[in-house]
Amino acid sequence: QSVLTQPPSASGTPGQRVTISCSGSSSNIGSNYVYWYQQLPGTAPKLLIYRNNQRPSGVPDRFSGSKSGTSASLAISGLRSEDEADYYCAAWDDSLSGYWVFGGGTKLTVL
Amino acid sequence: EVQLVESGGGLVQPGRSLRLSCAASGFTFDDYAMHWVRQAPGKGLEWVSGISWNSGSIGYADSVKGRFTISRDNAKNSLYLQMNSLRAEDTALYYCAKDTALIVGATKGCFDYWGQGTLVTVSS
């Protein structure tokens, strides 16, 4: 069971806007930045969003992140077939000696 | 271009040991913390361990604490993971990941580059 909670699946049709939620607690999302990773089938994860809402160079502005309290969300607008992937949220957790925590992942299907 | 190449995975019996390596290139290795993150077959990501730029700060997931040891050799641009007392639940693809900060858990740190992973299978 993951520390951060994500829906296991999401779907949309090309051109639609979809959102993926990530719920945590005061020791992780509530007090630290949230990061989002995209994992295309058979590949390593790729950084998609950093510090809640920043995009690395090369990531299309169709991808956006937000955070409020102990929850965060990833939005993908103008959905494309190549966006079909697993998406993971991550945050540092300050409890105990500190450690990184991930969500369980959301499999996005483009119908 | 940042490159992280893992090696050392394989099939190992429960209770035995294995040492993973990660060769880094394309960036100044000793300017960044480094991590191991694993992914069991068909499952999500799990942080295993992280080490600061000078090995002064190290962290482990509870699931591996006392069994795994992370280390680095900045002269060789290499990261290591010594895995002892392996269990079936350690079976996973192990990724090496670069941090954006010097230390593990830095306020603005995260994993910005990942290797392709090395597969560890623990089975009799």
Side-chain angles (χ1 to χ4, degrees):
Chain A
Q1 189 157 338
S2 302
V3 174
L4 304 181
T5 301
Q6 297 180 237
S9 63
S11 64
T13 56
Q16 264 191 331
R17 182 178 187 270
V18 297
T19 60
I20 297 171
S21 62
C22 176
S23 177
S25 67
S26 58
S27 63
N28 42 66
I29 294 179
S31 52
N32 293 295
Y33 289 114
V34 177
Y35 302 86
W36 290 91
Y37 294 88
Q38 178 193 58
Q39 187 175 33
L40 297 169
T43 69
K46 168 192 166 186
L47 180 63
L48 197 64
I49 296 289
Y50 66 99
R51 295 182 214 160
N52 302 335
N53 55 19
Q54 303 299 303
R55 283 186 309 277
S57 61
V59 173
D61 59 7
R62 302 185 297 104
F63 294 91
S64 62
S66 64
K67 172 186 146 177
S68 178
T70 58
S71 294
S73 62
L74 172 71
I76 309 171
S77 60
L79 198 61
R80 304 177 68 162
S81 58
E82 56 260 41
D83 298 333
E84 188 160 290
D86 293 323
Y87 293 84
Y88 295 90
C89 57
W92 178 255
D93 193 300
D94 291 325
S95 58
L96 303 174
S97 51
Y99 59 109
W100 278 97
V101 293
F102 286 93
T106 298
K107 181 173 181 57
L108 175 63
T109 301
V110 181
L111 302 170
Chain B
E1 178 195 5
V2 172
Q3 284 202 320
L4 299 170
V5 180
E6 303 92 338
S7 61
L11 174 64
V12 62
Q13 293 180 326
R16 303 298 290 264
S17 299
L18 207 58
R19 190 195 194 208
L20 305 184
S21 299
C22 171
S25 62
F27 65 101
T28 304
F29 186 68
D30 54 9
D31 274 353
Y32 300 97
M34 296 292 295
H35 303 265
W36 290 99
V37 178
R38 69 185 180 183
Q39 186 170 34
K43 302 296 184 182
L45 301 171
E46 180 189 17
W47 178 74
V48 174
S49 181
I51 185 169
S52 65
W53 68 282
N54 63 352
S55 304
S57 176
I58 287 174
Y60 296 98
D62 283 347
S63 57
V64 307
K65 202 171 291 185
R67 300 187 299 122
F68 290 10
T69 302
I70 192 172
S71 62
R72 63 190 295 162
D73 185 336
N74 288 345
K76 295 183 178 179
N77 288 349
S78 293
L79 176 72
Y80 306 100
L81 186 67
Q82 178 66 42
M83 304 186 296
N84 298 332
S85 304
L86 283 161
R87 306 167 179 166
E89 53 265 36
D90 296 319
T91 294
L93 186 63
Y94 284 73
Y95 292 105
C96 166
K98 172 188 166 294
D99 203 314
T100 56
L102 280 167
I103 60 173
V104 177
T107 301
K108 295 182 180 180
C110 71
F111 319 113
D112 61 346
Y113 289 95
W114 302 60
Q116 288 305 304
T118 185
L119 182 63
V120 173
T121 303
V122 184
S123 174
S124 55

PDB file of all heavy atoms in Angstrom, chain A residues 17-40:
ATOM      1  N   ARG A  17      -9.454  16.807 -21.753  1.00  0.00           N
ATOM      2  CA  ARG A  17      -8.631  17.154 -20.600  1.00  0.00           C
ATOM      3  C   ARG A  17      -8.899  16.135 -19.503  1.00  0.00           C
ATOM      4  O   ARG A  17     -10.049  15.831 -19.195  1.00  0.00           O
ATOM      5  CB  ARG A  17      -8.967  18.553 -20.094  1.00  0.00           C
ATOM      6  CG  ARG A  17      -8.123  19.039 -18.914  1.00  0.00           C
ATOM      7  CD  ARG A  17      -8.517  20.457 -18.546  1.00  0.00           C
ATOM      8  NE  ARG A  17      -7.651  21.049 -17.549  1.00  0.00           N
ATOM      9  CZ  ARG A  17      -7.833  20.972 -16.232  1.00  0.00           C
ATOM     10  NH1 ARG A  17      -8.877  20.300 -15.766  1.00  0.00           N
ATOM     11  NH2 ARG A  17      -6.995  21.561 -15.388  1.00  0.00           N
ATOM     12  N   VAL A  18      -7.826  15.588 -18.953  1.00  0.00           N
ATOM     13  CA  VAL A  18      -7.968  14.636 -17.851  1.00  0.00           C
ATOM     14  C   VAL A  18      -7.136  15.101 -16.662  1.00  0.00           C
ATOM     15  O   VAL A  18      -6.128  15.785 -16.839  1.00  0.00           O
ATOM     16  CB  VAL A  18      -7.535  13.211 -18.260  1.00  0.00           C
ATOM     17  CG1 VAL A  18      -8.417  12.676 -19.366  1.00  0.00           C
ATOM     18  CG2 VAL A  18      -6.084  13.192 -18.662  1.00  0.00           C
ATOM     19  N   THR A  19      -7.586  14.737 -15.481  1.00  0.00           N
ATOM     20  CA  THR A  19      -6.825  15.061 -14.282  1.00  0.00           C
ATOM     21  C   THR A  19      -6.593  13.791 -13.465  1.00  0.00           C
ATOM     22  O   THR A  19      -7.441  12.888 -13.441  1.00  0.00           O
ATOM     23  CB  THR A  19      -7.530  16.107 -13.411  1.00  0.00           C
ATOM     24  OG1 THR A  19      -8.806  15.584 -13.009  1.00  0.00           O
ATOM     25  CG2 THR A  19      -7.722  17.398 -14.161  1.00  0.00           C
ATOM     26  N   ILE A  20      -5.439  13.750 -12.827  1.00  0.00           N
ATOM     27  CA  ILE A  20      -5.068  12.630 -11.963  1.00  0.00           C
ATOM     28  C   ILE A  20      -4.760  13.199 -10.583  1.00  0.00           C
ATOM     29  O   ILE A  20      -3.962  14.134 -10.462  1.00  0.00           O
ATOM     30  CB  ILE A  20      -3.843  11.891 -12.530  1.00  0.00           C
ATOM     31  CG1 ILE A  20      -4.175  11.282 -13.889  1.00  0.00           C
ATOM     32  CG2 ILE A  20      -3.368  10.818 -11.560  1.00  0.00           C
ATOM     33  CD1 ILE A  20      -2.975  10.707 -14.624  1.00  0.00           C
ATOM     34  N   SER A  21      -5.399  12.656  -9.579  1.00  0.00           N
ATOM     35  CA  SER A  21      -5.233  13.175  -8.227  1.00  0.00           C
ATOM     36  C   SER A  21      -4.178  12.378  -7.453  1.00  0.00           C
ATOM     37  O   SER A  21      -3.863  11.234  -7.788  1.00  0.00           O
ATOM     38  CB  SER A  21      -6.560  13.129  -7.475  1.00  0.00           C
ATOM     39  OG  SER A  21      -6.999  11.773  -7.369  1.00  0.00           O
ATOM     40  N   CYS A  22      -3.654  13.024  -6.421  1.00  0.00           N
ATOM     41  CA  CYS A  22      -2.642  12.411  -5.549  1.00  0.00           C
ATOM     42  C   CYS A  22      -2.893  12.943  -4.141  1.00  0.00           C
ATOM     43  O   CYS A  22      -2.786  14.153  -3.907  1.00  0.00           O
ATOM     44  CB  CYS A  22      -1.247  12.770  -6.046  1.00  0.00           C
ATOM     45  SG  CYS A  22       0.106  12.185  -5.002  1.00  0.00           S
ATOM     46  N   SER A  23      -3.230  12.053  -3.235  1.00  0.00           N
ATOM     47  CA  SER A  23      -3.566  12.467  -1.874  1.00  0.00           C
ATOM     48  C   SER A  23      -2.518  11.963  -0.888  1.00  0.00           C
ATOM     49  O   SER A  23      -2.109  10.801  -0.944  1.00  0.00           O
ATOM     50  CB  SER A  23      -4.942  11.914  -1.513  1.00  0.00           C
ATOM     51  OG  SER A  23      -5.279  12.233  -0.188  1.00  0.00           O
ATOM     52  N   GLY A  24      -2.105  12.859   0.015  1.00  0.00           N
ATOM     53  CA  GLY A  24      -1.085  12.484   0.989  1.00  0.00           C
ATOM     54  C   GLY A  24      -1.450  12.965   2.378  1.00  0.00           C
ATOM     55  O   GLY A  24      -2.609  12.913   2.776  1.00  0.00           O
ATOM     56  N   SER A  25      -0.445  13.426   3.105  1.00  0.00           N
ATOM     57  CA  SER A  25      -0.660  13.865   4.481  1.00  0.00           C
ATOM     58  C   SER A  25       0.211  15.080   4.789  1.00  0.00           C
ATOM     59  O   SER A  25       0.971  15.549   3.942  1.00  0.00           O
ATOM     60  CB  SER A  25      -0.331  12.724   5.443  1.00  0.00           C
ATOM     61  OG  SER A  25       1.055  12.444   5.408  1.00  0.00           O
ATOM     62  N   SER A  26       0.119  15.548   6.025  1.00  0.00           N
ATOM     63  CA  SER A  26       0.868  16.737   6.419  1.00  0.00           C
ATOM     64  C   SER A  26       2.378  16.516   6.403  1.00  0.00           C
ATOM     65  O   SER A  26       3.143  17.480   6.288  1.00  0.00           O
ATOM     66  CB  SER A  26       0.433  17.184   7.810  1.00  0.00           C
ATOM     67  OG  SER A  26       0.643  16.140   8.746  1.00  0.00           O
ATOM     68  N   SER A  27       2.819  15.270   6.520  1.00  0.00           N
ATOM     69  CA  SER A  27       4.264  15.003   6.565  1.00  0.00           C
ATOM     70  C   SER A  27       4.894  14.885   5.184  1.00  0.00           C
ATOM     71  O   SER A  27       6.119  14.885   5.059  1.00  0.00           O
ATOM     72  CB  SER A  27       4.555  13.734   7.368  1.00  0.00           C
ATOM     73  OG  SER A  27       3.967  12.602   6.747  1.00  0.00           O
ATOM     74  N   ASN A  28       4.090  14.781   4.160  1.00  0.00           N
ATOM     75  CA  ASN A  28       4.652  14.685   2.803  1.00  0.00           C
ATOM     76  C   ASN A  28       4.128  15.839   1.929  1.00  0.00           C
ATOM     77  O   ASN A  28       4.733  16.911   1.886  1.00  0.00           O
ATOM     78  CB  ASN A  28       4.438  13.308   2.179  1.00  0.00           C
ATOM     79  CG  ASN A  28       3.052  12.725   2.420  1.00  0.00           C
ATOM     80  OD1 ASN A  28       2.059  13.255   1.941  1.00  0.00           O
ATOM     81  ND2 ASN A  28       2.986  11.637   3.172  1.00  0.00           N
ATOM     82  N   ILE A  29       3.010  15.651   1.263  1.00  0.00           N
ATOM     83  CA  ILE A  29       2.504  16.704   0.374  1.00  0.00           C
ATOM     84  C   ILE A  29       2.234  17.990   1.133  1.00  0.00           C
ATOM     85  O   ILE A  29       2.470  19.089   0.625  1.00  0.00           O
ATOM     86  CB  ILE A  29       1.247  16.218  -0.376  1.00  0.00           C
ATOM     87  CG1 ILE A  29       1.604  15.084  -1.340  1.00  0.00           C
ATOM     88  CG2 ILE A  29       0.580  17.378  -1.114  1.00  0.00           C
ATOM     89  CD1 ILE A  29       0.428  14.510  -2.114  1.00  0.00           C
ATOM     90  N   GLY A  30       1.751  17.860   2.357  1.00  0.00           N
ATOM     91  CA  GLY A  30       1.392  19.050   3.126  1.00  0.00           C
ATOM     92  C   GLY A  30       2.557  19.959   3.473  1.00  0.00           C
ATOM     93  O   GLY A  30       2.352  21.139   3.777  1.00  0.00           O
ATOM     94  N   SER A  31       3.785  19.432   3.422  1.00  0.00           N
ATOM     95  CA  SER A  31       4.929  20.246   3.823  1.00  0.00           C
ATOM     96  C   SER A  31       6.081  20.212   2.831  1.00  0.00           C
ATOM     97  O   SER A  31       7.137  20.794   3.093  1.00  0.00           O
ATOM     98  CB  SER A  31       5.429  19.779   5.198  1.00  0.00           C
ATOM     99  OG  SER A  31       5.662  18.392   5.217  1.00  0.00           O
ATOM    100  N   ASN A  32       5.900  19.544   1.709  1.00  0.00           N
ATOM    101  CA  ASN A  32       6.979  19.447   0.725  1.00  0.00           C
ATOM    102  C   ASN A  32       6.433  19.551  -0.698  1.00  0.00           C
ATOM    103  O   ASN A  32       5.229  19.454  -0.930  1.00  0.00           O
ATOM    104  CB  ASN A  32       7.721  18.115   0.902  1.00  0.00           C
ATOM    105  CG  ASN A  32       8.469  18.048   2.215  1.00  0.00           C
ATOM    106  OD1 ASN A  32       9.412  18.790   2.459  1.00  0.00           O
ATOM    107  ND2 ASN A  32       8.048  17.136   3.096  1.00  0.00           N
ATOM    108  N   TYR A  33       7.349  19.725  -1.632  1.00  0.00           N
ATOM    109  CA  TYR A  33       6.957  19.803  -3.036  1.00  0.00           C
ATOM    110  C   TYR A  33       6.467  18.446  -3.540  1.00  0.00           C
ATOM    111  O   TYR A  33       6.840  17.394  -3.030  1.00  0.00           O
ATOM    112  CB  TYR A  33       8.144  20.247  -3.892  1.00  0.00           C
ATOM    113  CG  TYR A  33       8.550  21.683  -3.714  1.00  0.00           C
ATOM    114  CD1 TYR A  33       9.789  22.004  -3.147  1.00  0.00           C
ATOM    115  CD2 TYR A  33       7.729  22.720  -4.121  1.00  0.00           C
ATOM    116  CE1 TYR A  33      10.179  23.321  -2.990  1.00  0.00           C
ATOM    117  CE2 TYR A  33       8.111  24.043  -3.967  1.00  0.00           C
ATOM    118  CZ  TYR A  33       9.337  24.337  -3.400  1.00  0.00           C
ATOM    119  OH  TYR A  33       9.718  25.644  -3.256  1.00  0.00           O
ATOM    120  N   VAL A  34       5.646  18.521  -4.589  1.00  0.00           N
ATOM    121  CA  VAL A  34       5.146  17.320  -5.260  1.00  0.00           C
ATOM    122  C   VAL A  34       5.776  17.225  -6.643  1.00  0.00           C
ATOM    123  O   VAL A  34       5.976  18.259  -7.316  1.00  0.00           O
ATOM    124  CB  VAL A  34       3.612  17.351  -5.388  1.00  0.00           C
ATOM    125  CG1 VAL A  34       3.106  16.126  -6.163  1.00  0.00           C
ATOM    126  CG2 VAL A  34       2.973  17.402  -4.010  1.00  0.00           C
ATOM    127  N   TYR A  35       6.096  16.025  -7.039  1.00  0.00           N
ATOM    128  CA  TYR A  35       6.713  15.762  -8.333  1.00  0.00           C
ATOM    129  C   TYR A  35       5.861  14.720  -9.064  1.00  0.00           C
ATOM    130  O   TYR A  35       5.250  13.853  -8.441  1.00  0.00           O
ATOM    131  CB  TYR A  35       8.142  15.243  -8.157  1.00  0.00           C
ATOM    132  CG  TYR A  35       8.995  16.230  -7.391  1.00  0.00           C
ATOM    133  CD1 TYR A  35       9.019  16.227  -5.998  1.00  0.00           C
ATOM    134  CD2 TYR A  35       9.744  17.187  -8.063  1.00  0.00           C
ATOM    135  CE1 TYR A  35       9.770  17.159  -5.292  1.00  0.00           C
ATOM    136  CE2 TYR A  35      10.489  18.126  -7.369  1.00  0.00           C
ATOM    137  CZ  TYR A  35      10.493  18.108  -5.981  1.00  0.00           C
ATOM    138  OH  TYR A  35      11.227  19.042  -5.285  1.00  0.00           O
ATOM    139  N   TRP A  36       5.853  14.819 -10.392  1.00  0.00           N
ATOM    140  CA  TRP A  36       5.105  13.864 -11.215  1.00  0.00           C
ATOM    141  C   TRP A  36       6.050  13.232 -12.231  1.00  0.00           C
ATOM    142  O   TRP A  36       6.885  13.914 -12.837  1.00  0.00           O
ATOM    143  CB  TRP A  36       3.959  14.558 -11.941  1.00  0.00           C
ATOM    144  CG  TRP A  36       2.845  14.981 -11.030  1.00  0.00           C
ATOM    145  CD1 TRP A  36       2.710  16.176 -10.398  1.00  0.00           C
ATOM    146  CD2 TRP A  36       1.700  14.191 -10.664  1.00  0.00           C
ATOM    147  NE1 TRP A  36       1.561  16.181  -9.652  1.00  0.00           N
ATOM    148  CE2 TRP A  36       0.920  14.982  -9.797  1.00  0.00           C
ATOM    149  CE3 TRP A  36       1.266  12.903 -10.977  1.00  0.00           C
ATOM    150  CZ2 TRP A  36      -0.276  14.527  -9.235  1.00  0.00           C
ATOM    151  CZ3 TRP A  36       0.081  12.447 -10.419  1.00  0.00           C
ATOM    152  CH2 TRP A  36      -0.674  13.254  -9.566  1.00  0.00           C
ATOM    153  N   TYR A  37       5.893  11.928 -12.395  1.00  0.00           N
ATOM    154  CA  TYR A  37       6.711  11.171 -13.342  1.00  0.00           C
ATOM    155  C   TYR A  37       5.810  10.447 -14.319  1.00  0.00           C
ATOM    156  O   TYR A  37       4.745   9.930 -13.954  1.00  0.00           O
ATOM    157  CB  TYR A  37       7.602  10.166 -12.604  1.00  0.00           C
ATOM    158  CG  TYR A  37       8.638  10.853 -11.754  1.00  0.00           C
ATOM    159  CD1 TYR A  37       8.356  11.222 -10.445  1.00  0.00           C
ATOM    160  CD2 TYR A  37       9.881  11.188 -12.280  1.00  0.00           C
ATOM    161  CE1 TYR A  37       9.286  11.902  -9.671  1.00  0.00           C
ATOM    162  CE2 TYR A  37      10.821  11.859 -11.522  1.00  0.00           C
ATOM    163  CZ  TYR A  37      10.512  12.215 -10.212  1.00  0.00           C
ATOM    164  OH  TYR A  37      11.437  12.899  -9.461  1.00  0.00           O
ATOM    165  N   GLN A  38       6.244  10.408 -15.570  1.00  0.00           N
ATOM    166  CA  GLN A  38       5.559   9.673 -16.629  1.00  0.00           C
ATOM    167  C   GLN A  38       6.393   8.448 -16.988  1.00  0.00           C
ATOM    168  O   GLN A  38       7.606   8.574 -17.210  1.00  0.00           O
ATOM    169  CB  GLN A  38       5.401  10.565 -17.868  1.00  0.00           C
ATOM    170  CG  GLN A  38       4.751   9.878 -19.056  1.00  0.00           C
ATOM    171  CD  GLN A  38       4.900  10.695 -20.325  1.00  0.00           C
ATOM    172  OE1 GLN A  38       6.007  11.015 -20.746  1.00  0.00           O
ATOM    173  NE2 GLN A  38       3.774  11.039 -20.941  1.00  0.00           N
ATOM    174  N   GLN A  39       5.753   7.294 -17.007  1.00  0.00           N
ATOM    175  CA  GLN A  39       6.465   6.078 -17.403  1.00  0.00           C
ATOM    176  C   GLN A  39       5.753   5.452 -18.604  1.00  0.00           C
ATOM    177  O   GLN A  39       4.693   4.842 -18.464  1.00  0.00           O
ATOM    178  CB  GLN A  39       6.556   5.081 -16.249  1.00  0.00           C
ATOM    179  CG  GLN A  39       7.444   3.892 -16.574  1.00  0.00           C
ATOM    180  CD  GLN A  39       7.642   2.952 -15.388  1.00  0.00           C
ATOM    181  OE1 GLN A  39       6.765   2.775 -14.551  1.00  0.00           O
ATOM    182  NE2 GLN A  39       8.828   2.340 -15.296  1.00  0.00           N
ATOM    183  N   LEU A  40       6.336   5.625 -19.765  1.00  0.00           N
ATOM    184  CA  LEU A  40       5.810   4.992 -20.965  1.00  0.00           C
ATOM    185  C   LEU A  40       6.087   3.496 -20.895  1.00  0.00           C
ATOM    186  O   LEU A  40       7.035   3.073 -20.212  1.00  0.00           O
ATOM    187  CB  LEU A  40       6.451   5.610 -22.202  1.00  0.00           C
ATOM    188  CG  LEU A  40       6.158   7.103 -22.426  1.00  0.00           C
ATOM    189  CD1 LEU A  40       7.059   7.656 -23.508  1.00  0.00           C
ATOM    190  CD2 LEU A  40       4.707   7.320 -22.764  1.00  0.00           C
TER     191      LEU A  40
END
